[in-house]
């Protein structure tokens, strides 16, 4: 994890020319689920002509530990099941560190009813689909200069 632009530049200078890298900004103040990080797992089918099909069901994957920028433990920041399963807190909060969209919707309504983020289908669903479409478009050959 690189924490400043100078270290990013230094790291990239060591990489082979013409290599491709993904660099992303870490979100310091993410929306949390019960004080823990989460991600949304969905399935998408993309054809060779770049038609995109979304499966409407999915689930939420949660981390095992309370979120803090001061805690560098991977179980705080990464929600991958293949990693979380080895942590002492795996399954402590939810079975398999997962919850359904319905459970997540209920949480949003209980915790954020005074804000506009309570309607999962209206606010989170469309944004999720836009991000997926942007991701697919970013790897099109004509966008890569190939």
């Amino acid at each position: 994890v690189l924490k400043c632009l100078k270290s990013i530049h230094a790291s990239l200078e060591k990489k082979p020319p013409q290599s491709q890298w993904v660099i992303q900004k870490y979100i310091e103040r993410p929306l949390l689920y019960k004080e823990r990080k989460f991600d949304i797992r969905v399935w998408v089918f993309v054809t060779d002509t770049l038609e995109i099909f979304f499966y409407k069901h999915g689930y939420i994957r949660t981390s095992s530990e309370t979120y803090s920028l001061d805690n560098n433990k991977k179980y705080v920041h990464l929600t991958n099941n293949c990693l979380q399963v080895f942590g002492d807190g795996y399954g402590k909060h939810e079975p398999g560190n997962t919850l359904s969209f319905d459970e997540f919707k209920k949480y949003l309504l209980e915790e954020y009813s005074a804000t506009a983020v309570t309607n999962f289908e209206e606010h989170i669903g469309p944004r999720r689909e836009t991000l997926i479409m942007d991701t697919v478009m970013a790897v099109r050959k004509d966008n890569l200069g190939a």
Side-chain angles (χ1 to χ4, degrees):
V1 176
L2 306 173
K3 297 190 177 195
C4 69
L5 188 57
K6 185 177 180 179
S7 61
I8 291 171
H9 283 285
S11 177
L12 289 175
E13 286 174 1
K14 297 175 188 173
K15 306 299 178 199
Q18 305 304 316
S19 60
Q20 297 177 4
W21 293 91
V22 174
I23 298 175
Q24 64 184 30
K25 169 86 171 85
Y26 191 80
I27 300 171
E28 290 93 356
R29 294 182 54 207
L31 176 65
L32 301 174
Y33 175 77
K34 298 185 178 181
E35 299 182 6
R36 293 174 290 122
K37 285 188 72 177
F38 69 91
D39 70 24
I40 301 172
R41 176 61 69 160
V42 294
W43 291 271
V44 177
F45 178 75
V46 181
T47 69
D48 60 348
T49 60
L50 298 182
E51 288 181 278
I52 304 170
F53 297 89
F54 300 94
Y55 184 63
K56 68 178 178 178
H57 301 288
Y59 60 94
I60 305 296
R61 299 186 308 181
T62 61
S63 63
S64 300
E65 312 243 350
T66 301
Y67 176 75
S68 168
L69 283 174
D70 298 325
N71 186 338
N72 287 328
K73 287 176 63 178
K74 58 187 170 188
Y75 301 110
V76 171
H77 300 280
L78 303 174
T79 57
N80 309 57
N81 189 61
C82 62
L83 171 89
Q84 289 287 332
V85 72
F86 295 108
D88 293 336
Y90 184 72
K92 177 173 71 175
H93 304 284
E94 303 87 30
N97 282 32
T98 62
L99 60 145
S100 69
F101 282 172
D102 287 338
E103 292 169 301
F104 187 64
K105 290 180 215 176
K106 182 179 176 189
Y107 172 78
L108 290 175
L109 285 170
E110 290 169 357
E111 294 297 316
Y112 299 98
S113 61
T115 68
V117 186
T118 58
N119 189 323
F120 185 84
E121 283 84 11
E122 184 180 324
H123 296 100
I124 296 172
R127 181 68 178 130
R128 176 188 66 213
E129 291 178 5
T130 299
L131 289 170
I132 292 167
M133 290 187 289
D134 289 347
T135 302
V136 170
M137 297 308 289
V139 297
R140 285 178 36 180
K141 286 185 180 181
D142 59 332
N143 286 342
L144 295 174

